[in-house]
Amino acid sequence: MSKRAVIIVDLQKDYLASGSFALTGIDAATENAARVIAAARGRGDRIVHVHHVSKEADSPLFAPNTDGIDPIPAVKPEAGDTVVIKNYPNSFRDTVLQETLKAGGIEEVVVIGAMSDVCIDATARAAADLGYDLTVVHDACATRDKAFGDSVVPAAQVHATIMSALEFGYGKVTTTAEFLG
């Protein structure tokens, strides 16, 4: 059995153009994520979906019991996949993710999903800190423009900054084509 797990973080309907918090490039990222997941299934890798559910019922993002918390159909869990529910950006915080990976003998994790600068960043850094061999497939991730002071930072720049930091200090950052090749 494979010692690799693909962790799909927060690819949920709230991030779609029709959702409450649309991300730049979410459609392309989801298509790439679906390709990564299909290849991983074919190799026998463990597939772990992490879904964010807010603790606050009136949250503008991932509110409990709303359609926004549902997975994007192209990357929805299938029989045999693991689903982990989280309430924080770090997918390992107060979840069963670490225990699930350890029980499966996982040594390598591949992280994909959203948002690049929040949950992907937090999850990837935690995975590396916990000793996993980390790969982030950056074009299977998405974010949105961010504000800092009086500046608006374009999504592409936000994404590139986070990916460069992850590649510098935490693991491998690659494209879908490179990952599949």
Side-chain angles (χ1 to χ4, degrees):
M1 176 136 205
S2 174
K3 295 190 179 293
R4 177 172 35 205
V6 173
I7 302 174
I8 303 104
V9 180
D10 299 350
L11 286 180
Q12 296 165 253
K13 290 182 178 179
D14 265 350
Y15 283 149
L16 295 173
S18 59
S20 68
F21 207 74
L23 301 185
T24 302
I26 189 63
D27 293 336
T30 301
E31 289 174 17
N32 286 330
R35 293 171 56 211
V36 168
I37 295 164
R41 281 195 176 105
R43 288 191 303 263
D45 295 344
R46 181 86 178 248
I47 306 297
V48 181
H49 299 264
V50 179
H51 295 156
H52 197 121
V53 178
S54 178
K55 289 184 172 187
E56 295 81 31
D58 62 346
S59 176
L61 181 63
F62 302 137
N65 304 312
T66 65
D67 290 341
I69 64 171
D70 292 341
I72 296 171
V75 292
K76 68 181 180 183
E78 293 185 3
D81 292 354
T82 301
V83 177
V84 174
I85 303 300
K86 70 179 178 72
N87 306 116
Y88 301 99
N90 177 352
S91 297
F92 290 91
R93 181 178 172 189
D94 297 340
T95 72
V96 298
L97 181 57
Q98 170 69 341
E99 293 80 13
T100 299
L101 298 177
K102 279 187 157 283
I106 300 300
E107 297 173 0
E108 177 186 354
V109 297
V110 177
V111 178
I112 58 178
M115 286 190 303
S116 306
D117 53 312
V118 185
C119 299
I120 297 303
D121 185 43
T123 299
R125 288 174 189 247
D129 288 346
L130 289 167
Y132 294 102
D133 182 17
L134 170 69
T135 299
V136 177
V137 181
H138 81 85
D139 60 357
C141 299
T143 192
R144 60 187 282 162
D145 295 353
K146 295 293 167 56
F148 182 73
D150 293 335
S151 300
V152 173
V153 183
Q157 187 176 353
V158 172
H159 180 81
T161 300
I162 293 301
M163 294 302 147
S164 67
L166 290 174
E167 186 172 55
F168 178 79
Y170 290 92
K172 181 178 180 181
V173 176
T174 191
T175 65
T176 299
E178 290 167 342
F179 182 77
L180 298 177

